[in-house]
Amino acid sequence: MKRLKAPLAYAFIGILALSACQPTPTTLDPTPTASSPPQATPTPQASTSAEPIPISTPAPTPEPIATPTPIPTAEPTPTPVPTATDISIPSASPTSTPTPSATPEATTGTITVDVFDDNTNLVSAAQVTVKSAADDSFSETTFTNEGGHFILKDLPLNTTLNIKATAPGYTTRERLLAVSVFTPEKTLEFKGDDAISNRPEVIEVKQGNAINTAYQPLEMSFSEGLDRESFERSFALQLDTTSSTNFKVGTPTPVGTSIGGNQNNVVFDIQQFNVEWDTSKTVRLTPQFGWPQTSRDDYRIVLNYRKNGDPKGGGIKDSGGTSARESFISSSSGGDTDTATTTESGPFRVGNQYKAFWRLRINTSPTPIKLDRVSVTKSPQDILTLDFDNDLSFTLPNGASVVGGAGGQASNAPAATGGVSATDAAQNYVMNCGGPNLVWPAGTVAIYATQRQVQIIVPAGTDLLPAGTECNLTVNGILDPRGERISGTSFSVRIP
């Protein structure tokens, strides 16, 4: 405080001096402006004469000025911060917005379907249907056809769809497809192996690939109605091997690579089967004499068998006369004998490929044929008649006779065959009437009276069997046509 008193005193004396020398106030205004420029700021405040203390307080004055300065500075600083935050939030919003905005589109999909025939032509008259593969939650059959391009709209997304294509007189093809939110639009082609075809083809063999019982039926279904005669002339069963496998049934050994078919390549043709047609699209085959028995069990069905001189065989046809694909097999090697490529085509549809034949495994243990009854007549000569419960003989397509005990072994033959004499066959039956076994007189024969009946005929004038006696007939190991030993081989017989 002491340091402030001197300046105040000098200021007071100055004021008195000025007031004595310059009494006129009009000259006072310019004078302070010119004589005291450093105090230009305090001068207007000095005119109040009571404010010297605020004048000497310039230091506090900058403080209020500095105070507003940081306030605007602080305002811009927070401003960019929220601005950046606001920018990032909308930026994320547009990114996620397409997903919700696409949701209406993502609930349905569109598939364009092109249907081709065997010759890669679009089929504008095709019919396309679609349904859910897992259930019946979706099913539709009406679509827009634009020049052979079928537009399937409003399809459910993320669902596996079963799509079928067909046309009148054509096969039906099926494919699976799904559309998703990522690919709501797709194109599907029924082309190549998936093309619809107007050729008849096998679409199912109902017993699968195996035959397990001697008389098990085999059912075949086709893509369209067949000309039945063409099927029955073209069907055959072959052994699927090139080896000379021994057939128990006595049938000729087929050539495994031959599907063109001649009589000597055939194990069985339609003559050996009972044929039943459910419709012209489904046929059931039951073997008349049981499925063949060999030391192997791999067979195949062919539908292009042709008997010699038969112009109508050699391939199935539909009811309109259109032929199935021609059977074809070829094998090739790229120079390495360990690797070979086999190419085939034909009337059998397996998966999405055409096959020349249908593989079939026959692994049966048939019930042996049984001797059912024995009767005797005495006039005009002794004749024993033996009745069996199934056929003992049949004829192959090549004219060969298949009989019980086939193979030329006289001890196995029920009756005379091409390789066994009737006299030798008679020795397979033994009669005993209470003493030593009877000896058949010279000229006694065993012949087939029917396919299920054998007669043992004793020469006329020989009274071999005493009337009114009880005899016993024993069969010594004869075999049926499938190579099985005939059962029920001992019978009690009363001589009339």
Side-chain angles (χ1 to χ4, degrees):
M1 296 296 294
K2 290 182 180 181
R3 296 175 60 185
L4 293 173
K5 290 181 179 180
L8 290 173
Y10 290 130
F12 185 75
I13 293 170
I15 293 171
L16 292 178
L18 288 172
S19 112
C21 296
Q22 305 282 343
T24 306
T26 51
T27 59
L28 185 60
D29 292 334
T31 303
T33 303
S35 63
S36 53
Q39 297 178 353
T41 302
T43 300
Q45 294 174 348
S47 63
T48 61
S49 74
E51 302 294 328
I53 294 173
I55 292 170
S56 65
T57 323
T61 302
E63 289 178 2
I65 294 170
T67 303
T69 302
I71 292 171
T73 305
E75 288 177 0
T77 304
T79 301
V81 172
T83 301
T85 306
D86 292 340
I87 290 171
S88 64
I89 291 172
S91 175
S93 278
T95 303
S96 59
T97 299
T99 302
S101 67
T103 301
E105 297 180 359
T107 57
T108 61
T110 299
I111 299 176
T112 300
V113 178
D114 293 340
V115 183
F116 295 86
D117 63 14
D118 286 330
N119 300 317
T120 67
N121 297 318
L122 282 170
V123 183
S124 59
Q127 301 166 357
V128 177
T129 61
V130 60
K131 64 177 295 186
S132 300
D135 51 39
D136 294 328
S137 60
F138 177 83
S139 180
E140 186 59 70
T141 58
T142 304
F143 303 103
T144 304
N145 181 354
E146 299 178 1
H149 306 281
F150 293 81
I151 312 299
L152 285 59
K153 297 181 178 180
D154 302 324
L155 301 176
L157 297 181
N158 304 320
T159 300
T160 301
L161 301 172
N162 182 302
I163 302 173
K164 294 183 180 181
T166 188
Y170 282 75
T171 52
T172 298
R173 299 287 184 249
E174 297 184 34
R175 296 190 65 182
L176 298 178
L177 189 67
V179 287
S180 68
V181 293
F182 302 105
T183 54
E185 297 184 5
K186 287 188 176 181
T187 298
L188 180 66
E189 288 187 336
F190 285 87
K191 195 175 185 180
D193 288 336
D194 293 311
I196 63 175
S197 173
N198 65 340
R199 295 175 178 270
E201 58 191 47
V202 181
I203 58 175
E204 183 182 19
V205 179
K206 199 160 191 177
Q207 299 303 332
N209 298 321
I211 295 293
N212 298 312
T213 60
Y215 293 90
Q216 180 177 332
L218 183 76
E219 187 173 292
M220 303 175 69
S221 298
F222 299 87
S223 59
E224 56 181 309
L226 292 186
D227 173 75
R228 298 184 183 185
E229 184 182 15
S230 72
F231 171 82
E232 294 180 10
R233 288 175 178 269
S234 302
F235 173 88
L237 178 70
Q238 294 182 334
L239 187 68
D240 188 17
T241 179
T242 57
S243 67
S244 56
T245 302
N246 179 36
F247 281 82
K248 295 180 182 178
V249 295
T251 58
T253 303
V255 178
T257 57
S258 171
I259 61 168
N262 60 61
Q263 294 180 43
N264 293 327
N265 297 146
V266 174
V267 178
F268 288 127
D269 75 354
I270 204 68
Q271 297 178 63
Q272 275 67 55
F273 291 87
N274 294 318
V275 183
E276 301 173 83
W277 289 89
D278 284 349
T279 66
S280 59
K281 297 173 64 173
T282 304
V283 63
R284 185 179 300 105
L285 304 171
T286 305
Q288 295 184 46
F289 317 111
W291 291 97
Q293 296 290 295
T294 70
S295 57
R296 297 179 62 93
D297 54 12
D298 292 324
Y299 292 79
R300 59 189 184 186
I301 296 171
V302 298
L303 294 177
N304 63 333
Y305 169 67
R306 186 199 304 270
K307 290 184 181 179
N308 288 343
D310 183 355
K312 294 184 178 180
I316 62 172
K317 300 176 179 63
D318 65 17
S319 55
T322 302
S323 297
R325 285 171 178 78
E326 184 178 355
S327 294
F328 170 79
I329 292 181
S330 67
S331 297
S332 61
S333 175
D336 182 356
T337 55
D338 294 332
T339 60
T341 301
T342 299
T343 303
E344 59 178 283
S345 64
F348 292 91
R349 178 83 173 183
V350 181
N352 66 342
Q353 295 182 342
Y354 292 107
K355 299 290 185 180
F357 50 80
W358 183 271
R359 295 186 184 279
L360 187 67
R361 174 157 289 188
I362 300 177
N363 184 19
T364 66
S365 298
T367 302
I369 294 175
K370 186 167 82 171
L371 176 59
D372 269 346
R373 188 171 68 92
V374 178
S375 60
V376 177
T377 60
K378 291 284 297 175
S379 177
Q381 59 196 115
D382 293 345
I383 299 176
L384 286 83
T385 301
L386 288 65
D387 292 299
F388 297 84
D389 67 352
N390 215 318
D391 292 346
L392 295 174
S393 68
F394 55 88
T395 304
L396 288 172
N398 63 357
S401 178
V402 178
V403 296
Q409 299 297 319
S411 59
N412 295 331
T417 69
V420 177
S421 70
T423 301
D424 288 339
Q427 304 307 310
N428 295 324
Y429 303 95
V430 176
M431 286 289 289
N432 185 291
C433 297
N437 292 339
L438 299 179
V439 177
W440 300 115
T444 301
V445 296
I447 63 170
Y448 287 107
T450 68
Q451 287 180 305
R452 298 190 178 190
Q453 191 176 82
V454 171
Q455 285 187 334
I456 303 172
I457 303 174
V458 179
T462 303
D463 190 12
L464 178 66
L465 305 174
T469 60
E470 290 286 339
C471 299
N472 191 66
L473 176 69
T474 302
V475 178
N476 282 337
I478 63 174
L479 302 179
D480 70 14
R482 295 179 299 277
E484 301 294 328
R485 188 173 297 276
I486 291 178
S487 62
T489 57
S490 183
F491 266 84
S492 179
V493 182
R494 182 172 181 81
I495 311 299

